[in-house]
Amino acid sequence: MACAASAAVATVGLAVSPAAAAPATTTQAEPGGACTAADLGTRHPYIKSSEVTPTITHFKGWYVTEGSTGTQSVNTSVQTTISVSVGLTGNVEGSFEFETLGKVGASLGLNVQVNYTSTSSTSTSVTWNFRNPGYYGLYKGTKKVTGTYGSLNCNRVQQGDGSWALKWIEGADTGSYTTFTTLEEGAVRCEDKVPANSIMRKAQDLLDCGSATATAKHPAGPVPSAKAAKAGHEAEKAAKAGHEAEKAAKAEKSVKATGSPAPATRAALDCQPAVYKIDVPGKPLNWSAPLLANDGIRLRESNWTSAHLDNWRLCNVTERNGVIEASLWNWGNGGCATVPADIANQEQAYLTTATCGEDDLQRFYIYRDVPGSSKIGVQNKYTGFMMGHDRYADGELIRQYSSGRQDGTGTYTLTGV
């Protein structure tokens, strides 16, 4: 399959002599902070915004008479369910998601959930020692934490004096997260003085204080709360609307990712004339495309049998804020590098090639070392994951990692041939 070699949209500007990757940085990733060539294949989250909202997950109005004080167990009803999520998929599986939630907790000084979990969606019991008669609200609650995050990637940046340095820059990835703090439970009365904007105050707000329910004589036991019923109904509606919106967004992304399963003709590619190998720095192995459709891109040593499977061109190249975006076209099999759509959301999904098309799974961001060095990091546009390999070995698959390979094995060289 021929690839048109027309004028490049942006020049890569890389030297062709490979060099060994520098040791991985031990400094904290901060916007504008220094990074090393080993960090080119990594990314880290940073928190752009956070909001903490005391939230009642379970509630029950309960009347205690003179003869019914003491310890009782009361079944509470679900008010709202909170699920931990990071990004559109909601998965919390990879290191990037764990690090995102960890940074949320650290920035707020809160102990938040960092694994995929949710508050209970069924009625649960609260046991409480009622010392005085009166109208109580039995509750379980937590602090719901929501906000947005971005990603930091290592890339070359030109200084004011014209020199170049490697810095952590804001990458293209952004998304939202939801998590929550440790669950609390208790009982509160209308007359109790409680801190504003606290979980206990949120529970007190659900009591019908001032109503006939709160002031009239009432048999011991459950008391319906109109406020709690209304709040629970509104939370249910909001959750349903959010679930439908999420499903629609996922479906849209799925359609975009999958694309046409077998396009009759490849996408018209505007490829740069240069041909490259994507090498492990200072070592013989490099990216080699598969001959079989069900295989992946693997580390191989170039020899007379390579049949151009180790030769790549950058196509439909654009550049934004010093970061190249391109399709990686393989000279040997005529396909474009991609992550398979059915496993695109998975940590360590393998990289392969497919018929070239309009597909964000076939688009990659390339982060570059300073001029004079050919070291790069490669990130998939659709998943946001960085490319790397588990170990240096002949036949080892190139895979995606949500935070990249922190040992520097996600740094490659783009060597002209």
Side-chain angles (χ1 to χ4, degrees):
M1 181 184 297
C3 183
S6 56
V9 179
T11 57
V12 179
L14 290 172
V16 298
S17 57
T25 185
T26 57
T27 59
Q28 185 80 11
E30 300 285 352
C35 54
T36 73
D39 295 311
L40 290 170
T42 68
R43 68 168 179 158
H44 296 278
Y46 75 99
I47 306 307
K48 303 177 75 171
S49 68
S50 296
E51 182 178 0
V52 181
T53 309
T55 303
I56 301 301
T57 61
H58 295 77
F59 183 86
K60 175 70 74 175
W62 198 259
Y63 211 90
V64 178
T65 63
E66 287 286 356
S68 63
T69 55
T71 301
Q72 298 183 46
S73 292
V74 178
N75 268 342
T76 58
S77 301
V78 178
Q79 287 292 120
T80 187
T81 302
I82 303 171
S83 296
V84 177
S85 64
V86 178
L88 183 64
T89 64
N91 295 328
V92 183
E93 297 175 350
S95 55
F96 184 83
E97 290 86 354
F98 289 121
E99 189 180 355
T100 299
L101 296 176
K103 287 198 170 185
V104 170
S107 65
L108 297 173
L110 296 174
N111 183 18
V112 301
Q113 303 295 322
V114 295
N115 295 300
Y116 177 74
T117 186
S118 67
T119 59
S120 176
S121 58
T122 59
S123 298
T124 61
S125 176
V126 173
T127 300
W128 197 255
N129 184 13
F130 298 97
R131 299 181 182 275
N132 300 299
Y135 180 38
Y136 289 82
L138 278 295
Y139 68 89
K140 286 189 177 184
T142 184
K143 292 177 180 177
K144 181 180 180 181
V145 184
T146 57
T148 58
Y149 66 86
S151 73
L152 295 176
N153 292 79
C154 185
N155 193 57
R156 71 185 190 185
V157 174
Q158 192 164 24
Q159 313 281 57
D161 62 359
S163 64
W164 294 82
L166 284 176
K167 303 269 187 189
W168 291 109
I169 65 167
E170 183 174 351
D173 303 311
T174 187
S176 61
Y177 62 84
T178 298
T179 184
F180 58 90
T181 61
T182 304
L183 284 169
E184 301 177 16
E185 64 178 49
V188 64
R189 300 179 301 170
C190 293
E191 60 268 32
D192 291 337
K193 301 299 183 184
V194 299
N197 202 34
S198 64
I199 296 171
M200 188 177 286
R201 179 58 182 269
K202 287 292 181 182
Q204 194 178 55
D205 290 343
L206 296 180
L207 284 171
D208 294 314
C209 296
S211 68
T213 300
T215 57
K217 294 292 183 182
H218 194 282
V223 181
S225 169
K227 288 184 179 179
K230 181 181 179 183
H233 181 62
E234 289 175 350
E236 186 178 348
K237 282 175 60 179
K240 185 176 180 180
H243 181 64
E244 292 301 321
E246 183 181 347
K247 279 175 60 180
K250 285 182 180 179
E252 182 181 355
K253 287 197 78 174
S254 177
V255 169
K256 288 180 179 178
T258 305
S260 174
T265 58
R266 68 172 174 84
L269 293 176
D270 180 14
C271 295
Q272 293 184 350
V275 180
Y276 298 96
K277 289 182 181 177
I278 305 175
D279 298 307
V280 176
K283 296 183 178 181
L285 302 182
N286 55 73
W287 290 22
S288 182
L291 278 174
L292 303 176
N294 61 348
D295 197 5
I297 297 172
R298 297 178 181 270
L299 291 178
R300 299 288 190 194
E301 186 171 358
S302 296
N303 54 43
W304 64 274
T305 64
S306 298
H308 294 302
L309 291 171
D310 54 0
N311 288 177
W312 302 87
R313 278 180 173 167
L314 305 185
C315 304
N316 293 352
V317 180
T318 61
E319 184 172 342
R320 178 175 172 269
N321 296 332
V323 179
I324 285 177
E325 180 187 326
S327 297
L328 303 178
W329 179 83
N330 186 262
W331 190 354
N333 67 13
C336 285
T338 187
V339 181
D342 58 340
I343 58 172
N345 65 331
Q346 295 179 16
E347 187 84 9
Q348 297 192 38
Y350 66 90
L351 195 62
T352 187
T353 55
T355 303
C356 298
E358 294 292 333
D359 190 340
D360 281 348
L361 279 170
Q362 296 184 10
R363 300 291 286 172
F364 294 86
Y365 298 117
I366 298 176
Y367 300 93
R368 294 172 285 175
D369 199 356
V370 297
S373 167
S374 56
K375 299 188 189 78
I376 61 168
V378 184
Q379 180 183 29
N380 186 265
K381 180 178 181 178
Y382 175 78
T383 66
F385 288 22
M386 308 299 296
M387 300 301 114
H389 53 273
D390 272 339
R391 63 191 177 98
Y392 179 75
D394 186 35
E396 186 71 14
L397 283 166
I398 302 299
R399 300 179 183 275
Q400 65 170 10
Y401 303 85
S402 58
S403 290
R405 298 288 294 171
Q406 301 300 315
D407 60 0
T409 52
T411 294
Y412 298 98
T413 55
L414 203 60
T415 307
V417 296

